[in-house]
Amino acid sequence: MTAVKATPTSPPPRLPVRDKAAAGDRGWGGVSPMLTRLAAEEATGVLVRERGSLHLVDGGVVHAESPSAPGLDLLLTAHGTLGAEAWEAAARATDDRHATTRLLLDGGLVSPGALELCHLGALYDAAYFVLAPSSTPGRFRYGVTHPLGGVRPVPVAALERETLRRRDLLHRVWPDAATDGAPLVRADPVAPAPVTPRQAAVLAQVDGVRTATDIARALGRRAYPTLLDVRRLVSAGLVSPRPAAPAAVTAPGPAPGPSPGATPVLDVVDPDITLLKRLRDALEAL
């Protein structure tokens, strides 16, 4: 059998190469590949991840919520932008056709500018935690809408770009993320560093129990700027995570007694055996 060596008539096709410049322009840095795909297909529904959820309408993010970030209700009511009773009434009146935000706007209870500002602040704030690195896969539920309603959709590209920027800023201020979720304690530096009024308000809330998220809720502020203030206070030596409590030492219990029917073992020396040993040693010495 004769082997025939074939000569290709044309070179093989080149492998596709990702255009990094175009990827940078899109701002899709791989924060969440699933979210990127959902934006491309203009999906509507809710993306549920380990630390919260993102609501999408036609591929744009219209709402975000996370246990680590105060919600829109707190940001609107904490400083008098909206009365707590007005918010509760609008939330109770929400149905399938009227979202809470639409009821607030139609009733003249809040101005469009104030609502949009608080809505975007709450959305970016919660999305920072929702898009944090996760050990569990996300899941998407198509067609689900949030009763709060959307005010202004945010493109996924912009959301991912801002999330990456915030991660980088926190890392540059203080690279250890342990301060983000731990109870905080005040330090006692020899020469305290000067602090801004915002940081002083955060410092006043540090009591050995509250975390950065707890402090944000107590002050009616967004969580991410509070994280930033905390890391700056840590960098200045004014705050640190509360040390872990030492492990409890269990006192030894009484020695177990002999089992029933067993011959007791006594930790004593038989005097007859000691006498015999002395006599043997004396004989060997002769």
Side-chain angles (χ1 to χ4, degrees):
M1 182 175 183
T2 304
V4 179
K5 183 177 180 181
T7 302
T9 57
S10 61
R14 297 179 60 185
L15 294 175
V17 178
R18 184 178 63 176
D19 187 347
K20 294 184 178 180
D25 293 338
R26 290 195 304 268
W28 296 349
V31 176
S32 171
M34 178 182 287
L35 182 59
T36 300
R37 176 175 59 80
L38 293 170
E41 68 181 52
E42 299 183 352
T44 295
V46 57
L47 174 62
V48 180
R49 288 171 58 91
E50 184 177 12
R51 299 187 65 182
S53 59
L54 299 176
H55 287 259
L56 285 76
V57 172
D58 297 333
V61 181
V62 296
H63 181 69
E65 55 189 3
S66 169
S68 300
L72 176 60
D73 54 342
L74 180 61
L75 297 182
L76 281 172
T77 60
H79 303 288
T81 304
L82 178 69
E85 299 81 3
W87 173 270
E88 293 172 1
R92 287 194 302 267
T94 299
D95 55 29
D96 294 338
R97 295 178 300 136
H98 302 92
T100 303
T101 52
R102 176 50 52 191
L103 291 174
L104 292 174
L105 290 173
D106 292 346
L109 299 173
V110 64
S111 67
L115 180 60
E116 182 175 334
L117 185 63
C118 288
H119 170 260
L120 289 177
L123 191 155
Y124 276 104
D125 201 37
Y128 171 81
F129 298 98
V130 177
L131 295 176
S134 172
S135 59
T136 59
R139 60 187 185 275
F140 188 74
R141 300 172 183 169
Y142 284 90
V144 177
T145 59
H146 196 278
L148 186 63
V151 178
R152 178 182 175 186
V154 175
V156 166
L159 195 63
E160 291 195 336
R161 186 163 48 242
E162 177 62 13
T163 298
L164 292 174
R165 186 193 70 83
R166 293 186 177 199
R167 287 184 194 174
D168 180 66
L169 179 56
L170 281 178
H171 185 80
R172 285 188 281 114
V173 170
W174 185 256
D176 188 1
T179 58
D180 294 352
L184 302 169
V185 295
R186 297 182 68 163
D188 189 16
V190 176
V195 296
T196 65
R198 280 188 56 89
Q199 293 168 3
V202 171
L203 189 59
Q205 295 290 327
V206 175
D207 60 358
V209 177
R210 293 188 181 99
T211 64
T213 297
D214 296 332
I215 293 173
R217 288 197 172 94
L219 296 175
R221 296 179 179 177
R222 289 177 290 131
Y224 176 81
T226 306
L227 288 184
L228 200 56
D229 287 332
V230 166
R231 289 211 193 186
R232 284 172 174 152
L233 291 170
V234 173
S235 178
L238 299 175
V239 168
S240 64
R242 188 183 68 193
V249 178
T250 304
S259 58
T263 303
V265 178
L266 302 179
D267 190 16
V268 296
V269 179
D270 190 337
D272 293 337
I273 294 176
T274 302
L275 179 59
L276 291 174
K277 183 176 183 298
R278 289 179 180 176
L279 289 174
R280 186 190 63 187
D281 293 342
L283 291 173
E284 290 177 352
L286 294 177

